[in-house]
Amino acid sequence: MQPRPSICSRCLRNLTNAYAYQPQGLHRSYPKYSSTAAATTPAPPIEQTILSAPPLTRYPPTQPPSHRPPEFRKSQLHRQYTSLLRSTPLILLLQHNNLKATELMAIRRELGIALQKLDDQSEPSTFSPSKGIKLQIIQSRIFSAALRIVEYWNPTISQPPTLNPQDPTTQSSMSGIPNTTPSPTDPLVTHSLSRRARNAVISKKYIHPLSPLLSGPLAILTFPTVSPAHLKTALSILSPRAPGFPAPLRRSNPGYHDPVTQAGLQKLLLLGARIEGRVFDTEGVRLVGGIEGGLEGMRGQLVGMLQGFGAGLTGALEGASRSLYLTMEGRKSMLEGEGKDEDDGEMKEGGGG
């Protein structure tokens, strides 16, 4: 038999006094506290009893259900290309053949230097799109799918029905709440990666004019605005051709004639462009880049054409009215001459008689 533990008398006395001490104003009956708390529980507000709970969010607003898993890199590239096509008015399409990373860096460096020189020569108050001009490699098949979505998918054509607030099965009295489910087949899901968008453009795979060019290794040069001056500078670097688009001289830009840069430029081929939603071939791109004075020159040419047309129209109208006036004046003079001759004849006959 084990010996019983011994407790000193001082420790036992302190423990007894601690249990025996109770502050004033408190009761020793703990069940009384529980009954009091249960009796003073507040009632729910009146709004909670007469209104139904709002519908729960069935998926995060930033992550709607899509046809493909959104966490894949292809899905993210599709979203990036779709946003790029919708927000960029000018895109140059280039083909590259085994372009190395060092060569791509050299081309980007020389392109940035040339565009910066153009900005230094322009007025400081004008907007400079040079910082938004970017050269990047793209995945041709994903870019083609994004182009079909942008060109042929309009989610505002048909909208799915919403919840009916008078329907007894509706969980909320709020009107206009979309009845959505966390499924890619839900007709309300109309974003670029939705199944509705995919089914709507799957039959238009080879209809777009850029579709024959979207194959193989491709690169794009994006412009935030349509600037003929910046386009001309970019063409002088990426695809030079005299006399309209000459390459930089070795004295002014020695880095352009570096062997690494030249090796990368020889692997680039200009295919075409997409300008304001329209497709241009290489000659059309050079025509846009060859506009003298950029947008200001284009506006000046347009104003000159309108003024010339107005001046020509005014001259034609004035000439017609002047011709009519001269004809009428000539006829008037002729009639006055005939009347004067008749009067003279009558006077002569009267004098002779």
Side-chain angles (χ1 to χ4, degrees), residues 109-178:
R109 182 191 67 237
E110 299 305 322
L111 185 62
I113 292 174
L115 294 174
Q116 186 62 38
K117 288 182 179 179
L118 178 62
D119 291 342
D120 296 339
Q121 296 174 0
S122 61
E123 298 180 1
S125 59
T126 58
F127 171 72
S128 174
S130 298
K131 295 183 179 179
I133 299 176
K134 296 181 180 179
L135 178 65
Q136 57 180 330
I137 307 296
I138 62 171
Q139 300 289 335
S140 58
R141 296 185 63 182
I142 303 177
F143 190 83
S144 177
L147 181 62
R148 293 196 301 269
I149 292 292
V150 172
E151 293 290 342
Y152 304 114
W153 170 238
N154 186 11
T156 60
I157 294 178
S158 60
Q159 293 293 337
T162 57
L163 291 177
N164 186 7
Q166 299 179 356
D167 190 356
T169 61
T170 302
Q171 298 181 0
S172 175
S173 61
M174 299 173 62
S175 61
I177 298 178

Side-chain angles (χ1 to χ4, degrees), residues 153-228:
W153 170 238
N154 186 11
T156 60
I157 294 178
S158 60
Q159 293 293 337
T162 57
L163 291 177
N164 186 7
Q166 299 179 356
D167 190 356
T169 61
T170 302
Q171 298 181 0
S172 175
S173 61
M174 299 173 62
S175 61
I177 298 178
N179 188 12
T180 58
T181 58
S183 173
T185 59
D186 194 334
L188 185 62
V189 182
T190 58
H191 57 87
S192 300
L193 289 175
S194 63
R195 187 163 296 179
R196 287 187 63 194
R198 182 250 182 189
N199 295 335
V201 302
I202 194 172
S203 60
K204 299 178 173 58
K205 192 171 184 179
Y206 303 105
I207 296 179
H208 198 272
L210 279 179
S211 298
L213 303 178
L214 297 178
S215 61
L218 298 178
I220 58 173
L221 182 66
T222 58
F223 294 76
T225 58
V226 179
S227 175

Side-chain angles (χ1 to χ4, degrees), residues 274-307:
R274 181 177 181 267
I275 304 176
E276 296 290 348
R278 299 180 60 185
V279 178
F280 288 78
D281 57 358
T282 56
E283 296 300 328
V285 174
R286 297 185 187 276
L287 180 63
V288 175
I291 298 176
E292 297 294 336
L295 292 179
E296 296 297 331
M298 189 185 304
R299 294 190 185 99
Q301 294 178 8
L302 180 60
V303 171
M305 291 175 59
L306 294 177
Q307 290 179 351

Side-chain angles (χ1 to χ4, degrees), residues 17-33:
N17 294 335
Y19 278 104
Y21 175 74
Q22 293 290 342
Q24 295 181 358
L26 298 179
H27 301 277
R28 296 183 182 180
S29 178
Y30 293 102
K32 186 176 181 180
Y33 288 123

Side-chain angles (χ1 to χ4, degrees), residues 5 17 31 266 347:
N17 294 335
Q266 292 177 2
M347 291 176 63

Side-chain angles (χ1 to χ4, degrees), residues 234-304:
L235 291 176
S236 300
I237 298 295
L238 301 177
S239 181
R241 190 177 70 179
F245 304 89
L249 300 177
R250 186 183 297 271
R251 180 178 298 178
S252 61
N253 195 353
Y256 178 80
H257 298 274
D258 188 75
V260 178
T261 307
Q262 290 298 318
L265 291 174
Q266 292 177 2
K267 299 177 182 179
L268 287 179
L269 177 63
L270 179 63
L271 299 179
R274 181 177 181 267
I275 304 176
E276 296 290 348
R278 299 180 60 185
V279 178
F280 288 78
D281 57 358
T282 56
E283 296 300 328
V285 174
R286 297 185 187 276
L287 180 63
V288 175
I291 298 176
E292 297 294 336
L295 292 179
E296 296 297 331
M298 189 185 304
R299 294 190 185 99
Q301 294 178 8
L302 180 60
V303 171

